[in-house]
Amino acid sequence: MYKSNLLTKGFIDEKISSEINIIEEIKTLCIEKNAVIMAHYYQPNEIQDIAHFIGDSLALAQQAQKTNSDIIVVCGVHFMGETAKILCPNKKVLVPDLNAGCSLADSCPVDKFEEFIKQYPDYTVISYVNTTAAVKALTDVCVTSTNAKKIVAQFPQEAKLIFGPDRNLGDYINSTTGKNMLLWDGACHVHEQFSLEKIVELKKHYPNALLLAHPECKKPVLLLADFIGSTQALLNFATQSDTTQFIIATESGIIHEMCKKNPSKEFIPAPPLDSTCACNECNFMRLNTLEKLYNCLKFELPEILIEEGLRKKAEKSILRMLEMS
Ligand code: 13P
Ligand code: SF4
């Protein structure tokens, strides 16, 4: 269960009549209420298909900053809703299911993180956006997987840097920038569970397939990867490549857009360690459904609310990220 130092409003779980065409109703509600639906690439296919905008964490933040809509429905996880609210305090920000948390954000409780950074008062704190607003408020600059390398590279080589919460992304950025950032020991349960042995087996069946991996994956998977990049970068690489088969080591929701953009190419989800589970799907991301999206638009709940003092502190680190991106 996602814990966050913020105020939240309501939860609606009203039964929806089978008579209504839910997709048409959602579209009508969006027009009536001047609402925009922004979905992350890890959302269920039907939500990606109805969204006005789909993107990775960085694109969703940039899009939220630009929108003229009165209501922003963030179909993603809680911290993405918070990021939108931090950037758009005067808009109503809704998330269809407030329980859509994030194991990576949960791996960085604010009190423990504060204790950690207090030991290094002369360090600059860089945090992945996959954090609570409270952790962002302790952060000098946020990053996403799309801009992390670019932002870290802008600091002098000898700069004293702390990076949290994803140890795999931090380690990867250290290795590609030559920095020696202190790393918080957090991880995402989806990206950490890919099995190197099973990927090696899969490669035998698909000898021409390229392995594309998100930098939240563990180092052995990254060492085997033909290309490492954020969700957006993996999509761009697959689209531009002449290769026609790809093994995808990230949340499998992105495969929907990869197939749409590349109908003649084949995308194979990288197998999880436990073959009895769909562990390459983020259970938090998959909490959002069309029914919850409909109720959320109809009742304008659940809403993300953040106490203004906290919002202002958290905003600085996100604005700095957007400037440095
Ligand atoms: P990006 O959207 O930055 O690729 O991050 C991946 C992720 O795990 C989002 O929750
Ligand atoms: Fe968090 Fe991982 Fe799910 Fe992304 S995929 S929302 S990092 S738990």
Side-chain angles (χ1 to χ4, degrees):
M1 171 71 178
Y2 187 78
K3 295 177 208 78
S4 175
N5 180 17
L6 73 151
L7 312 163
T8 48
K9 238 205 216 172
F11 178 70
I12 298 290
D13 190 17
E14 192 175 272
K15 281 264 163 295
I16 298 168
S17 156
S18 54
E19 309 277 289
I20 72 164
N21 178 331
I22 196 161
I23 291 178
E24 288 311 313
E25 293 291 330
I26 288 171
K27 287 182 180 164
T28 306
L29 283 166
C30 284
I31 295 168
E32 282 173 7
K33 298 187 178 213
N34 188 25
V36 63
I37 301 172
M38 298 188 186
H40 191 273
Y41 286 128
Y42 300 170
Q43 284 295 281
N45 297 353
E46 58 279 12
I47 291 189
Q48 292 191 45
D49 289 341
I50 202 174
H52 300 99
F53 182 82
I54 52 169
D56 67 355
S57 310
L58 177 63
L60 295 184
Q62 288 169 327
Q63 201 62 25
Q65 207 187 24
K66 279 195 255 174
T67 187
N68 292 322
S69 301
D70 297 315
I71 297 179
I72 304 173
V73 186
V74 178
C75 291
V77 294
H78 198 282
F79 77 80
M80 296 174 180
E82 276 190 333
T83 303
K85 185 66 185 176
I86 290 166
L87 288 169
C88 311
N90 300 322
K91 294 189 190 292
K92 191 172 264 190
V93 176
L94 309 172
V95 173
D97 191 329
L98 283 185
N99 289 317
C102 169
S103 56
L104 179 53
D106 284 347
S107 71
C108 188
V110 65
D111 50 339
K112 298 275 182 313
F113 192 64
E114 191 167 20
E115 263 172 43
F116 174 65
I117 63 175
K118 270 190 179 155
Q119 296 170 50
Y120 306 98
D122 52 341
Y123 277 59
T124 299
V125 180
I126 302 178
S127 297
Y128 199 21
V129 281
N130 300 39
T131 45
T132 59
V135 168
K136 288 186 176 79
L138 299 174
T139 294
D140 295 299
V141 56
C142 284
V143 297
T144 72
S145 51
T146 290
N147 60 23
K149 192 171 154 187
K150 183 175 177 190
I151 290 178
V152 171
Q154 289 174 52
F155 287 91
Q157 208 52 32
E158 64 288 356
K160 293 176 175 176
L161 306 174
I162 287 176
F163 185 92
D166 192 275
R167 58 177 173 245
N168 298 316
L169 176 64
D171 185 49
Y172 172 69
I173 300 296
N174 269 344
S175 68
T176 52
T177 59
K179 295 277 195 296
N180 189 20
M181 300 186 293
L182 294 182
L183 306 182
W184 179 260
D185 192 17
C188 156
H189 73 299
V190 179
H191 288 91
E192 278 233 311
Q193 53 71 44
F194 290 113
S195 156
L196 181 67
E197 292 73 21
K198 289 190 178 170
I199 293 176
V200 170
E201 274 305 303
L202 198 61
K203 275 220 158 205
K204 287 186 194 153
H205 286 92
Y206 298 95
N208 298 323
L210 296 181
L211 174 63
L212 312 188
H214 194 284
E216 286 174 31
C217 295
K218 283 182 173 173
K219 194 167 202 160
V221 172
L222 297 183
L223 287 174
L224 194 69
D226 297 291
F227 179 75
I228 299 166
S230 65
T231 313
Q232 185 65 53
L234 301 186
L235 173 63
N236 295 348
F237 182 90
T239 304
Q240 284 154 18
S241 170
D242 293 333
T243 303
T244 56
Q245 285 180 328
F246 303 90
I247 298 169
I248 305 300
T250 190
E251 214 274 2
S252 58
I254 185 60
I255 292 180
H256 185 55
E257 187 63 13
M258 285 176 167
C259 290
K260 274 169 111 176
K261 284 216 155 66
N262 304 280
S264 60
K265 296 183 182 177
E266 192 179 356
F267 298 96
I268 306 122
L273 194 59
D274 176 358
S275 46
T276 63
C277 74
C279 305
N280 49 16
E281 290 183 0
C282 173
N283 50 324
F284 297 113
M285 285 277 181
R286 307 302 171 124
L287 282 175
N288 293 325
T289 61
L290 281 182
E291 287 73 19
K292 288 178 193 171
L293 174 56
Y294 168 75
N295 274 334
C296 162
L297 275 160
K298 185 171 169 195
F299 297 102
E300 299 183 20
L301 287 170
E303 181 179 1
I304 301 279
L305 295 172
I306 306 179
E307 187 271 316
E308 183 57 12
L310 174 63
R311 188 199 69 77
K312 276 197 171 138
K313 282 189 200 153
E315 186 184 29
K316 283 189 197 148
S317 57
I318 301 179
L319 291 179
R320 192 155 175 218
M321 167 183 87
L322 294 172
E323 280 159 27
M324 293 175 83
S325 291

